[in-house]
C-alpha cells in the first residue's frame, strides 16, 4: 500500500507532527533517537532512512553501528544515554516509563526540551508503525 497517496490527509498530518516534534532538538540526537526506536520496532525503511540522515548530520559510523548496544558502549554522552533510555521505555510502553528513566532524562533536558523529546519519540513510533504495517521497504519513495 502507498499510504502517502491512499491516506494523504493522515500522512500530511503526521508530517506536520514530525516537523513540530523536531523543533529545538540537536540533529544528531534526533537521528539517534529515531534510529533506536526504529531498531526496536524492526522498521527497515526507517532504519535506512535515519541512518542516512544521521550521517548527513555528522554522526560517525562507529556510533551508528553500536547504537543497538548503546548501554554497553562508551561512545554516548550522559544526555544521549538518557534520551536513548527514554526512547526505549516509551517505545516499549506496555511496561510503562520507569520513574528513574524519566527523572534521568529530566536532569539532562529542561521541561520544553523534554516535551520535544517525548514528542519526537512518539512521532517516530507512529512512522514505524505506519511503515511496518504497510510493508514499506528501503529504497522505495
Amino acid at each position: 500500500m502507498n499510504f502517502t497517496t491512499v491516506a494523504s490527509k493522515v500522512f500530511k498530518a503526521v508530517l506536520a507532527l514530525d516537523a513540530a516534534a523536531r523543533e529545538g532538538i540537536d540533529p544528531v540526537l534526533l537521528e539517534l533517537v529515531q534510529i533506536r526506536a526504529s531498531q526496536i520496532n524492526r522498521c527497515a525503511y526507517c532504519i535506512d532512512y535515519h541512518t542516512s540522515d544521521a550521517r548527513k548530520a555528522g554522526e560517525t559510523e562507529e556510533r551508528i553501528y553500536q547504537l543497538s548496544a548503546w548501554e554497553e558502549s562508551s561512545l554516548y554522552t550522559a544526555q544521549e544515554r538518557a534520551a536513548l533510555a527514554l526512547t526505549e521505555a516509551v517505545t516499549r510502553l506496555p511496561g510503562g516509563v520507569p520513574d528513574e528513566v524519566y527523572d534521568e532524562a529530566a536532569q539532562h533536558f529542561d521541561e520544553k526540551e523534554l516535551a520535544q523529546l517525548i514528542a519526537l519519540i512518539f512521532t517516530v513510533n507512529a512512522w514505524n508503525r505506519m511503515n511496518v504495517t504497510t510493508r514499506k521497504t528501503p529504497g522505495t519513495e
Side-chain angles (χ1 to χ4, degrees), residues 30-97:
L30 183 142
E31 296 305 337
L32 291 175
V33 165
Q34 293 188 115
I35 294 166
R36 187 63 193 126
S38 299
Q39 289 172 333
I40 294 166
N41 289 322
R42 301 174 52 106
C43 183
Y45 178 85
C46 295
I47 293 167
D48 182 65
Y49 186 93
H50 294 296
T51 54
S52 176
D53 282 356
R55 288 180 188 105
K56 291 175 190 169
E59 188 53 89
T60 66
E61 293 298 314
E62 186 176 26
R63 283 170 37 102
I64 291 171
Y65 298 149
Q66 290 189 28
L67 189 55
S68 63
W70 65 268
E71 290 175 296
E72 288 77 32
S73 175
S74 62
L75 299 179
Y76 304 97
T77 67
Q79 183 186 51
E80 289 167 339
R81 297 172 78 73
L84 292 168
L86 186 62
T87 299
E88 290 191 3
V90 172
T91 300
R92 296 178 172 136
L93 198 52
V97 176

